Amino acid sequence: MTIPMLYSKIHRATVTDANLEYVGSITIDEELMNAAKLRVGQKVDIVNINNGERFSTYVLKGEKGKRDICLNGAAARKVHKGDKIIIIAYANMNEEEANSFSPSIVIVDDNNDIIEKLSNL
């Protein structure tokens, strides 16, 4: 048996763009991806703090240092530039892994600069 557990999250990121014409996904600054231990193509849930929308998509790597958080394709209809979102990734773990795993939590400011990293929850 495996249990879906919180793997990582980027908390209160600011949406920098919404691109309806792109095929789909969320583009995340490479530095933020690394801090949250996210991979290209990884499934993530997006929670829009402004309007309560929750949806899933996958990660694309954005340019390091630009602090971009861009929702692409159909997901672009669920956010507006400037919205605050939480990007959440989960991992399936067995009971032993779940008991000892600590997720990576990345807290960002209004400019998507990292202000705190938590890993001992």
Side-chain angles (χ1 to χ4, degrees):
M1 173 177 68
T2 61
I3 305 161
M5 298 291 294
L6 176 64
Y7 172 76
S8 69
K9 78 174 180 173
I10 301 173
H11 191 72
R12 295 188 60 85
T14 302
V15 174
T16 58
D17 199 8
N19 183 353
L20 186 59
E21 300 306 317
Y22 195 81
V23 176
S25 67
I26 182 170
T27 303
I28 302 173
D29 175 291
E30 182 180 8
E31 189 175 338
L32 295 174
M33 280 182 61
N34 291 340
K37 299 180 183 171
L38 295 174
R39 298 172 179 264
V40 171
Q42 185 173 3
K43 180 182 177 181
V44 291
D45 285 347
I46 309 299
V47 180
N48 187 326
I49 296 169
N50 293 76
N51 65 19
E53 287 277 0
R54 291 183 76 103
F55 54 94
S56 298
T57 190
Y58 61 93
V59 175
L60 285 180
K61 181 171 34 176
E63 188 176 331
K64 189 175 186 176
K66 287 191 73 178
R67 299 300 186 254
D68 287 337
I69 299 289
C70 178
L71 277 300
N72 303 301
R77 294 206 181 270
K78 299 193 174 276
V79 299
H80 294 286
K81 188 175 176 178
D83 281 359
K84 296 289 186 186
I85 63 171
I86 303 170
I87 304 163
I88 307 167
Y90 302 93
N92 290 322
M93 301 179 194
N94 63 38
E95 202 166 332
E96 184 179 319
E97 291 169 321
N99 287 338
S100 62
F101 183 78
S102 291
S104 298
I105 310 297
V106 178
I107 301 171
V108 297
D109 64 14
D110 291 342
N111 298 313
N112 294 328
D113 288 318
I114 298 169
I115 56 174
E116 190 172 7
K117 289 189 226 179
L118 306 171
S119 61
N120 293 326
L121 297 181

